[in-house]
Amino acid sequence: MTKKANTMMATFQKKRERGLLDGQFLIAMPGMFDSNFSRTVIFVCAHSNDGAMGFVLNRPQRLTFPDVLLHLRIIDQPEVIRLPGITRDFQIQTGGPVETGRGFVLHSDDYLSESSIPVSDDICLTATLDIVRAISRGEGPSKAMMMLGYAGWGAGQLENEIANNGWLNCPANEELIFDRDLGDKYDRALALMGVAPAMLSVDAGHA
């Protein structure tokens, strides 16, 4: 990651054309020695000449959704017990090593606010409190996942990592994006490409 990665959110929020890797999965190769990304699956939300950003889809986060609501002072401690079960169990994940204190919600397009940004034909990204409040009331999107932090690359950096066999890439699968079972998501992402983990080596090419 580079310091330029921190500017990606501002770039992403500008009106832009779809990039080559937008809406793609990145699947870490065995030669990925960065512990932040070993055996990760990443959904790329923005890719341009300025760089790229996306979210890790298979790293759990210790914080719970009630923890987030309390931290943001959306509810008080006595209100936690009154939250619907589906709200209390709403999953929080680690989206990447950049801006780890910032929350992002990747979600289906049946919820939209003025701050929602389309990232594909059916998926949007919202990074404001309105969607957190909506989810807390049971009025959020039908499919959603909340990430703390994101993955970011400077200009040309991701392309170089792919060329050097750091990542496989393939079209993203919406069902896998929102699947709450994180344990085998890496293997299932590889299966979308007809690849088994044992088939991979640090010298393998990319798709």
Side-chain angles (χ1 to χ4, degrees), residues 173-206:
N173 175 280
E174 181 177 332
E175 182 178 347
L176 193 62
I177 290 173
F178 294 112
D179 193 316
R180 290 169 56 91
D181 185 0
L182 307 186
D184 65 347
K185 189 172 283 194
Y186 179 79
D187 292 346
R188 286 183 289 141
L190 286 174
L192 293 174
M193 304 176 66
V195 175
M199 298 168 59
L200 298 179
S201 74
V202 294
D203 298 319
H206 60 83

Side-chain angles (χ1 to χ4, degrees), residues 67-84:
D67 289 335
V68 172
L69 296 179
L70 289 168
H71 176 73
L72 296 174
R73 298 183 179 179
I74 292 175
I75 64 171
D76 296 322
Q77 185 65 51
E79 297 176 89
V80 171
I81 197 171
R82 295 196 291 271
L83 290 171

Side-chain angles (χ1 to χ4, degrees), residues 82-102:
R82 295 196 291 271
L83 290 171
I86 192 171
T87 301
R88 288 198 304 270
D89 295 337
F90 184 68
Q91 197 171 51
I92 310 296
Q93 296 177 206
T94 299
V98 184
E99 294 194 62
T100 55
R102 186 173 182 182

Side-chain angles (χ1 to χ4, degrees), residues 17-39:
E17 296 181 357
R18 295 272 174 90
L20 180 64
L21 294 173
D22 282 17
Q24 293 265 315
F25 280 158
L26 298 176
I27 306 170
M29 288 287 287
M32 176 63 68
F33 298 116
D34 186 335
S35 60
N36 289 310
F37 299 111
S38 176
R39 288 183 59 84

Side-chain angles (χ1 to χ4, degrees), residues 111-122:
Y111 173 93
L112 291 173
S113 70
E114 292 183 359
S115 57
S116 297
I117 305 169
V119 297
S120 72
D121 292 339
D122 304 308

Side-chain angles (χ1 to χ4, degrees), residues 105-161:
V105 180
L106 198 65
H107 59 91
S108 51
D109 63 358
D110 52 354
Y111 173 93
L112 291 173
S113 70
E114 292 183 359
S115 57
S116 297
I117 305 169
V119 297
S120 72
D121 292 339
D122 304 308
I123 298 176
C124 298
L125 179 69
T126 304
T128 50
L129 288 180
D130 51 355
I131 192 169
V132 179
R133 294 190 180 99
I135 293 170
S136 73
R137 298 192 299 265
E139 300 170 0
S142 58
K143 298 178 181 179
M145 55 184 294
M146 184 175 185
M147 286 81 55
L148 296 182
Y150 66 93
W153 293 264
Q157 186 179 5
L158 179 56
E159 292 87 342
N160 288 337
E161 290 182 9

